[in-house]
Amino acid sequence: VVWSDMSLTIHLNFTPGGGAVYAVLYLLLGLGFAVLVWYLSGRKKRRIRKILQDETPLSAEEFEENWMIRTGREAGEGYKYHVFPGCYVILFYDVKPEVEDDFDRYHDVYVGQSLNVTERVHHHFTGYGRGDVYADLKAGRFVYVKLIPCDREGLNDLEKALIEEYN
């Protein structure tokens, strides 16, 4: 293989025992590997986009209204009782999203993970989590959240993929 200023030149020796066959095989193997990596990385991004499209954002007000719903004497339903690991995406808007397409027009975003996603989001919304999330809520910005369940082992990878998707 010879590199020049603007081109790559590959010299193949087609004499018996010259290794041309091996050079072609290595070249094809490398190309195949590159295509596989490209395909798998695109598949992961498509999976993340599908998850995000299927998950409708929930307003912070609606989340907090449904934090704890009592039914009779016993604690009942509500996000407080939905304990699961996963990631969350908190979206900030200057103008209230009215239709589905408006949710893509967020002003700012915060992505996080937790072994108890609903409790962690509740902490953010009530001033016991990330301070700027709570400050934006108090300042009257429109805040929405997407909750994405995930197994414990996949939390870091999912959070990283979400950050890449929203940046």
Side-chain angles (χ1 to χ4, degrees):
V1 177
V2 177
W3 288 95
S4 66
D5 289 345
M6 298 299 286
S7 66
L8 166 70
T9 307
I10 299 175
H11 296 279
L12 299 176
N13 183 354
F14 286 101
T15 60
V21 173
Y22 292 116
V24 170
L25 286 176
Y26 284 129
L27 186 64
L28 290 174
L29 184 62
L31 183 61
F33 182 73
V35 168
L36 179 65
V37 168
W38 172 79
Y39 172 75
L40 292 176
S41 67
R43 193 170 125 202
K44 183 177 179 181
K45 286 184 179 184
R46 287 189 298 275
R47 190 180 122 255
I48 293 295
R49 286 190 182 125
K50 173 100 173 82
I51 289 170
L52 293 174
Q53 286 172 350
D54 291 347
E55 191 65 40
T56 304
L58 182 67
S59 73
E61 293 80 18
E62 188 176 354
F63 180 89
E64 286 303 312
E65 286 172 8
N66 292 296
W67 173 245
M68 189 168 55
I69 302 169
R70 296 204 179 270
T71 56
R73 292 180 159 198
E74 300 176 13
E77 301 174 9
Y79 292 111
K80 178 179 181 173
Y81 305 104
H82 295 180
V83 177
F84 60 91
C87 290
Y88 54 91
V89 179
I90 300 176
L91 301 160
F92 303 89
Y93 300 87
D94 292 325
V95 177
K96 184 177 182 178
E98 298 292 340
V99 294
E100 190 71 29
D101 289 342
D102 289 348
F103 285 109
D104 291 336
R105 298 184 183 140
Y106 55 89
H107 181 267
D108 202 2
V109 63
Y110 177 69
V111 176
Q113 64 167 287
S114 178
L115 296 176
N116 185 345
V117 176
T118 56
E119 183 177 63
R120 186 71 180 130
V121 170
H122 174 67
H123 285 167
H124 287 309
F125 290 167
T126 55
Y128 296 100
R130 188 168 175 96
D132 52 347
V133 171
Y134 184 67
D136 283 340
L137 269 169
K138 286 300 188 185
R141 290 183 75 192
F142 300 97
V143 180
Y144 287 76
V145 64
K146 290 184 179 190
L147 305 174
I148 302 117
C150 177
D151 60 348
R152 294 175 80 134
E153 295 78 26
L155 284 174
N156 290 333
D157 289 338
L158 178 58
E159 182 182 36
K160 183 179 176 185
L162 289 169
I163 290 169
E164 288 174 6
E165 182 64 29
Y166 279 97
N167 282 336

